[in-house]
Amino acid sequence: MTRTDEELMRDIAEGSRAALTELYRRYERPVYGFALRMVRDSQAAEEIVQDVFTRIWKARDSFNPSSASLRTWMLTIAKRIAIDYIRSRQRRGTLALDSEEKTYDVPDRAALPDEMASHADTSRQIRQALDSLPSDQRIPIERMYYEGLTQQEIAEILSVPIGTVKSRIRLGMEKLRRQLTSVEMEETL
Amino acid sequence: MDTQELCSMREAYVLDGLTDEERRHFEEHLKTCKECQQEVTALQEVADWMLYDFDEVEIPDGMESRVLASVFGDELFEEGSVAIRSGGAKTGSAMDSRPAVDSGSAMDSGHIVRIPQASRPSRRTSVLRWLTPIAASVLILAGGSAYLYRQSLGLSPLRESVGTVQAQLPMTAVTKGSAAVLTVADRLSQQSLLIRFSGLPETKGSQIYQVWAIRPGQAPKSLGVFYPGRHGQALFASVLPKGYPTVAVTLEPHAIDKQPEGKKMFVANLT
């Protein structure tokens, strides 16, 4: 019988390596996929996955994902680690700060197994929502969220006042919020 | 900062776009501003939603084995901090560090390989990268470079560059019939140490082989431990710390001893 996330976390808290292994197998793909989306480097993405599960294992006694789902909680950890990595890479000057658009390897959808389909739908909805924003709103949101840039850094890169950055981000987030609300309403109908 | 300015930080707060100082100010403000509390809660949903903007890609071959080995192995290899107990309820061998996925047949011929961080730049200073059976890890020296080929879980072998070979020498063996060849490789700013063993006596009970870096006038520095495979073979790899002219291998009565207590098995002078 498949154990729930809560049951797995309870076993992990008691030191069960088998439970952590099961948790890993359940979430390695999304955590790796997200990490790769952030850092666009497969070795770095693997290290981020390793860090995520190491932190879970080391902090197993104090695990408390509060109200967030376990998946969201793990992705949030992955994001923080990835941001640290990106910032250190920026400090080393290996990431161009002025690149407006980025590309990374996109898998062949036809080769993906069926279980990825539902995630692919979610991902597509989010991507569509982000792409629907005017670029002057989307770019600062993405660079802040996925690259860890501060509002001041974005203002400098885009050569606009910080107040402009704030207002563009505020407008963009408001639109995303409305779209998220409409997606949730569609799903409940 | 005035209240209006603090309230204007809501979006950047949920998007992690504040400096540490700004974040501290905003979080203080958040404790008392009801409007910001409501807005941040709503905006956080959007931020969480954005976590799912990624494609689920195929994961690299052998990643599970490497990640779990590191997760569980770090506990055992935090130098000098963990003693692997023997006997009793907790069966005491470093093989306990093998990830669950590797349990089973790999136990029979397994040994521990510490893969040097010299293979690529890393934030870690010492990491147990993966555990594989001896038959599946091969050190290849070609064109003045060293490569580790590894095969895990029946997947295609992966090649990891260890660096340019700087020196290769036989270690002086104390026990007849056993042999060890030590290779030092350079990559980036680190030196890697790789030792290939053959004819090692089997370990008994809680015994374990341990590799040490030795500098005159200082306590030996543990580089890691390993078990030989079924035929007394092993491949050991580690970062070689700077300024240690001698490498020795001992057969320790207990794993992860802070200081060598067991019989010296091999020694090599690197200078």
Side-chain angles (χ1 to χ4, degrees):
Chain A
M1 194 175 73
T2 305
R3 285 186 285 181
T4 65
D5 285 348
E6 289 71 24
E7 287 168 336
L8 280 181
M9 290 309 297
R10 195 166 56 236
D11 290 347
I12 289 168
E14 291 172 1
S16 168
R17 293 180 180 190
L20 187 79
T21 301
E22 192 173 337
L23 187 82
Y24 173 86
R25 288 172 179 165
R26 194 172 290 180
Y27 290 112
E28 70 168 350
R29 200 176 288 277
V31 174
Y32 178 76
F34 179 74
L36 188 62
R37 184 256 183 273
M38 293 284 287
V39 299
R40 290 166 288 137
D41 175 303
S42 59
Q43 284 196 331
E46 181 173 327
E47 281 204 6
I48 290 167
V49 174
Q50 184 175 302
D51 273 359
V52 168
F53 285 92
T54 298
R55 288 185 190 196
I56 291 172
W57 184 242
K58 287 187 172 171
R60 57 189 181 271
D61 295 338
S62 56
F63 170 69
N64 180 17
S66 67
S67 58
S69 74
L70 187 62
R71 180 185 291 249
T72 299
W73 180 70
M74 292 171 75
L75 292 177
T76 302
I77 297 174
K79 178 173 179 288
R80 287 177 185 152
I81 298 168
I83 292 292
D84 286 346
Y85 173 84
I86 291 167
R87 284 176 177 161
S88 71
R89 194 167 58 176
Q90 285 168 347
R91 279 196 295 274
R92 293 199 306 269
T94 54
L95 184 70
L97 283 173
D98 56 355
S99 61
E100 183 172 294
E101 298 290 348
K102 303 170 298 176
T103 58
Y104 57 98
D105 291 338
V106 177
D108 176 4
R109 289 244 174 240
L112 298 179
D114 291 343
E115 62 263 28
M116 296 184 193
S118 64
H119 169 79
D121 286 344
T122 307
S123 175
R124 189 162 42 246
Q125 286 174 338
I126 297 163
R127 181 44 40 196
Q128 283 173 352
L130 284 166
D131 287 344
S132 72
L133 298 178
S135 60
D136 65 348
Q137 294 170 13
R138 176 178 53 80
I139 289 169
I141 288 173
E142 288 186 334
R143 301 207 70 172
M144 185 175 281
Y145 190 69
Y146 297 116
E147 295 179 30
L149 296 184
T150 64
Q151 46 192 5
Q152 182 64 47
E153 288 169 330
I154 292 170
E156 288 169 11
I157 290 166
L158 300 178
S159 301
V160 295
I162 192 168
T164 304
V165 172
K166 287 182 181 181
S167 64
R168 288 176 180 176
I169 288 177
R170 186 165 55 249
L171 287 169
M173 288 295 282
E174 183 54 40
K175 287 177 188 168
L176 288 176
R177 194 165 145 186
R178 283 200 297 272
Q179 296 203 42
L180 170 62
T181 307
S182 69
V183 168
E184 285 178 338
M185 285 177 67
E186 282 174 19
E187 287 175 349
T188 54
L189 289 176
Chain B
M1 268 181 238
D2 61 27
T3 302
Q4 189 180 3
E5 189 177 357
L6 286 163
C7 289
S8 74
M9 293 179 176
R10 294 167 188 157
E11 287 81 9
Y13 177 71
V14 300
L15 294 172
D16 291 327
L18 296 180
T19 63
D20 291 343
E21 188 182 358
E22 288 170 335
R23 171 175 289 274
R24 276 195 299 275
H25 284 303
F26 182 77
E27 287 180 343
E28 272 304 309
H29 164 74
L30 192 59
K31 289 175 184 172
T32 55
C33 180
K34 297 287 181 198
E35 190 182 336
C36 279
Q37 288 170 9
Q38 288 176 352
E39 283 296 303
V40 164
T41 301
L43 288 167
Q44 190 62 53
E45 282 186 45
V46 180
D48 287 348
W49 192 50
M50 288 170 64
L51 287 170
Y52 292 84
D53 175 28
F54 64 91
D55 292 300
E56 288 203 353
V57 296
E58 292 296 333
I59 60 170
D61 287 349
M63 187 175 91
E64 174 178 315
S65 179
R66 293 191 295 276
V67 169
L68 292 177
S70 175
V71 171
F72 299 134
D74 276 356
E75 285 189 333
L76 294 172
F77 285 90
E78 283 171 2
E79 213 166 60
S81 63
V82 179
I84 304 174
R85 288 169 288 174
S86 63
K90 179 174 171 60
T91 308
S93 78
M95 302 309 288
D96 284 348
S97 67
R98 186 179 301 281
V101 65
D102 273 354
S103 61
S105 60
M107 293 288 286
D108 297 330
S109 60
H111 75 302
I112 293 173
V113 176
R114 296 191 78 183
I115 298 303
Q117 287 302 291
S119 59
R120 62 184 163 123
S122 171
R123 287 164 291 141
R124 298 177 185 284
T125 55
S126 175
V127 175
L128 177 72
R129 285 293 310 282
W130 59 77
L131 310 172
T132 52
I134 181 65
S137 294
V138 180
L139 173 65
I140 300 290
L141 305 177
S145 295
Y147 300 94
L148 270 176
Y149 282 80
R150 58 193 171 79
Q151 184 152 21
S152 181
L153 306 175
L155 300 171
S156 303
L158 297 174
R159 189 178 81 162
E160 181 113 359
S161 171
V162 177
T164 306
V165 174
Q166 298 299 313
Q168 188 172 46
L169 65 159
M171 297 186 79
T172 305
V174 174
T175 306
K176 282 185 181 176
S178 61
V181 176
L182 179 153
T183 301
V184 177
D186 264 354
R187 183 167 163 78
L188 300 178
S189 59
Q190 288 186 313
Q191 280 195 319
S192 304
L193 170 71
L194 302 106
I195 310 174
R196 185 161 34 195
F197 298 92
S198 60
L200 289 171
E202 266 185 53
T203 56
K204 295 171 185 169
S206 60
Q207 284 183 329
I208 195 165
Y209 287 93
Q210 190 154 3
V211 182
W212 306 88
I214 297 170
R215 177 191 285 165
Q218 291 191 10
K221 181 179 177 62
S222 173
L223 300 182
V225 297
F226 68 92
Y227 285 103
R230 189 178 289 161
H231 304 295
Q233 294 178 306
L235 177 61
F236 178 91
S238 169
V239 170
L240 180 63
K242 288 179 181 170
Y244 286 82
T246 304
V247 173
V249 180
T250 58
L251 179 57
E252 292 295 315
H254 305 289
I256 319 287
D257 288 319
K258 287 185 179 178
Q259 297 301 318
E261 296 174 357
K263 181 183 177 184
K264 188 190 290 182
M265 302 298 289
F266 298 94
V267 65
N269 196 330
L270 304 179
T271 54

